[in-house]
Amino acid sequence: MASISRLRADAAECTRCELFRDATQTVFGEGPVHASIVMIGEQPGDKEDLDGRPFVGPAGHLLDRALDAAAIDRHALYLTNAVKHFKWKRGNGKVRLHQKPNREEVRACACWWQAELDAIKPSLVVLLGATAAQAVLGPQVRVTRDRGQVRAPTEVVPYETLVTVHPSAVLRTRPAERDAAFDALVRDLRIAAEHVER
């Protein structure tokens, strides 16, 4: 079984789909190699693509606030994404706008998060948003219906999992509803923390 450092080096050369052509670099996961919780998001954003680290942009800052509110130490987590390259289109001026990865791109990248989980063997995998949830658990998963519930391991996914929203979804919520959306994310993260502590 490959180590995380070896996987990161291999992923840096990945050309399994076309996304590598327009991305600055591969953004691999980071965190302790024996983390109890692995969090998987959708893909790196603009800031992550430039920095080469996951969850360092606006959604990452909101996730940090939610983790603090849930009494979870970010440095104790392993954070990664279902897709390792930033998919984007040109907006006004120099702005690069996020585009959702398609099914083939998500499938092409599955080998990397699967290898990360195999190397870390976490107690719980937290899936942030629909892309990550469906990449790992299949297309039948619905975030709004299934969030906040710890799911038992299966033959396909031999880890307990918990689905919640991606922090970027909280950022996109209307201002009048954003506090409630943030609180709901914190509730899900507390469920994850309490489950691992049992």
Side-chain angles (χ1 to χ4, degrees):
M1 181 186 306
S3 68
I4 290 294
S5 58
R6 176 60 188 271
L7 291 170
R8 182 177 290 110
D10 290 347
E13 306 299 323
C14 185
T15 58
R16 294 174 61 89
C17 75
E18 294 299 306
L19 293 186
F20 80 95
R21 296 187 184 281
D22 294 325
T24 304
Q25 59 194 312
T26 303
V27 180
F28 207 68
E30 68 175 21
V33 295
H34 300 296
S36 296
I37 298 176
V38 170
M39 290 190 174
I40 304 178
E42 179 186 275
Q43 68 166 332
D46 182 72
K47 180 84 165 108
E48 289 82 5
D49 176 66
L50 296 173
D51 285 8
R53 298 180 56 219
F55 292 96
V56 294
H61 295 313
L62 187 138
L63 178 61
D64 287 345
R65 286 180 42 227
L67 291 170
D68 285 344
I72 298 174
D73 179 4
R74 175 178 169 135
H75 301 292
L77 304 174
Y78 186 89
L79 295 165
T80 193
N81 284 295
V83 173
K84 308 302 189 197
H85 288 115
F86 179 36
K87 183 176 183 178
W88 57 279
K89 63 181 179 181
R90 183 70 66 195
N92 294 331
K94 295 182 179 179
V95 176
R96 299 189 302 170
L97 301 176
H98 163 275
Q99 283 195 296
K100 184 178 173 125
N102 64 37
R103 186 175 301 168
E104 290 73 28
E105 291 156 350
V106 172
R107 190 177 297 123
C109 232
C111 63
W112 298 119
W113 61 257
Q114 288 168 346
E116 287 173 295
L117 293 180
D118 289 345
I120 295 166
K121 295 183 171 39
S123 299
L124 181 67
V125 180
V126 176
L127 302 166
L128 302 169
T131 297
Q134 292 178 1
V136 176
L137 298 174
Q140 75 284 356
V141 176
R142 296 291 176 268
V143 174
T144 52
R145 180 193 65 206
D146 300 326
R147 67 181 299 176
Q149 305 168 35
V150 176
R151 299 160 80 93
T154 66
E155 284 187 22
V156 177
V157 186
Y159 307 98
E160 291 186 311
T161 55
L162 181 142
V163 174
T164 188
V165 297
H166 195 283
S168 63
V170 178
L171 290 175
R172 292 192 303 269
T173 304
R174 291 183 299 177
E177 300 170 358
R178 196 166 296 151
D179 286 348
F182 178 81
D183 291 344
L185 172 59
V186 171
R187 275 195 303 275
D188 291 344
L189 295 178
R190 283 182 178 143
I191 290 168
E194 290 165 3
H195 183 76
V196 168
E197 287 169 3
R198 286 180 197 157

